[in-house]
Amino acid sequence: MTTHEANGVTLGVEHFGDVAAPLVLCAGGTTMLSWPDALCDSLARAGRHVVRYDLCDSGASTTGDPEEPTYTLGDLAADAAALASELDDRPAHLAGIGVGGMVAQVAALDHPEAFSALTLVGTRPVAPGPVDDDLPDHDEATIGRLFSRSMPDWSDRDAVAEYAAGSADILGDDPAAARAVAARTWDRTPGALPAVHMANQLGTVFSRLDCGPRWRERLASLALPALVVHGRCDPFFPVGNGEALAREIPRARLLVLENASTVIPDAASSEVAAAMLEL
């Protein structure tokens, strides 16, 4: 792992594969560990230079006050374009997962010259907050269970890891895998401030960002190859969001992972990698 300066900020990055190979840039949601090691390894073995990176206020990237961010969704999109140009003089395949998928959509729209292909995983075509009438919102029962629990002591690594495992169990993800990722995320979180640990684990900074203006109506202008990946069992962004996103982007391919929820299981990494490589 290392850092790169892009768009006036420091971004924490990790490289897989040959740096001379075509670039696949993976925007975290919010940390780079949202992207499974197995998927990054599969893409690298197939001849890609994979770089996953932390968004601002997470991991090794510039961290300010996650409770009062001074940047916008558009700034995060500009970070992605600047990092892609810093890493390779050729357009990059941009991939975003969860809220990182929102960053990726805006980046592809605002900086089309920087990107050659787009992969969007477990995301939707509107900003955090109220959804459009035709998009399924979070499953109420699941969200009720998820947020009715007491928050952990964010300065306690073991408590945070167990909290993540409990969240995964509610969401239909693998608790053991979530526990391990949460511990790795905790270890990479700068400082000891509870708000910073919480932002790294939950991505809460996104609820405070200026995410305007709307971009859904612009998606029809995208001319690059696109892949939309979504878990059939996702209760947070139900699969109808991925289906709508694939309809909005011309000629986008939709890949539904039948046994997946909010994360890409290791068992599906080869299938997702193969679909990304076809773009």
Side-chain angles (χ1 to χ4, degrees):
M1 294 189 185
T2 185
T3 59
H4 280 271
E5 301 299 317
N7 198 35
V9 296
T10 299
L11 297 176
V13 305
E14 184 175 17
H15 298 258
F16 297 76
D18 184 352
V19 295
L23 175 64
V24 178
L25 181 64
C26 299
T30 53
T31 80
M32 66 172 70
L33 297 181
S34 306
W35 290 99
D37 297 351
L39 175 60
C40 296
D41 286 333
S42 292
L43 290 168
R45 286 195 302 271
R48 298 296 186 271
H49 173 208
V50 181
V51 174
R52 60 183 180 183
Y53 76 98
D54 301 312
L55 300 181
C56 283
D57 281 317
S58 71
S61 293
T62 294
T63 295
D65 182 355
E67 295 184 320
E68 293 187 21
T70 59
Y71 49 88
T72 68
L73 181 64
D75 292 326
L76 295 179
D79 293 347
L83 180 58
S85 297
E86 169 73 18
L87 294 169
D88 200 320
D89 57 5
R90 299 165 294 183
H93 179 158
L94 177 63
I97 189 167
V99 291
M102 299 173 189
V103 173
Q105 290 172 66
V106 174
L109 287 164
D110 288 355
H111 309 277
E113 72 290 342
F115 306 110
S116 59
L118 183 65
T119 294
L120 304 169
V121 182
T123 190
R124 64 186 187 185
V126 294
V131 294
D132 293 348
D133 290 343
D134 65 321
L135 298 176
D137 205 350
H138 312 306
D139 179 74
E140 290 187 10
T142 301
I143 296 303
R145 291 178 61 201
L146 197 63
F147 292 109
S148 64
R149 300 173 302 149
S150 298
M151 290 288 186
D153 176 356
W154 295 105
S155 64
D156 184 331
R157 182 181 189 270
D158 291 340
V160 170
E162 286 307 311
Y163 183 83
S167 297
D169 187 51
I170 292 170
L171 290 167
D173 294 318
D174 180 355
R179 183 184 293 110
V181 169
R184 290 173 67 189
T185 300
W186 196 96
D187 291 340
R188 298 181 64 249
T189 300
L193 290 176
V196 175
H197 275 289
M198 183 176 177
N200 270 251
Q201 296 287 339
L202 301 184
T204 50
V205 66
F206 265 79
S207 65
R208 300 178 174 91
L209 281 186
D210 175 2
C211 293
R214 283 177 60 91
W215 69 86
R216 183 179 183 182
E217 291 74 17
R218 299 172 58 203
L219 292 172
S221 69
L222 288 174
L224 73 179
L227 171 70
V228 176
V229 181
H230 217 102
R232 176 74 71 188
C233 307
D234 188 341
F236 195 80
F237 291 147
V239 68
N241 289 278
E243 293 168 343
L245 186 54
R247 288 194 299 269
E248 298 283 3
I249 300 173
R251 298 174 298 283
R253 176 189 171 188
L254 174 65
L255 172 60
V256 176
L257 304 178
E258 295 296 336
N259 298 313
S261 181
T262 70
V263 301
I264 301 172
D266 282 353
S269 289
S270 295
E271 181 182 9
V272 175
M276 292 176 69
L277 291 165
E278 289 178 358
L279 296 180

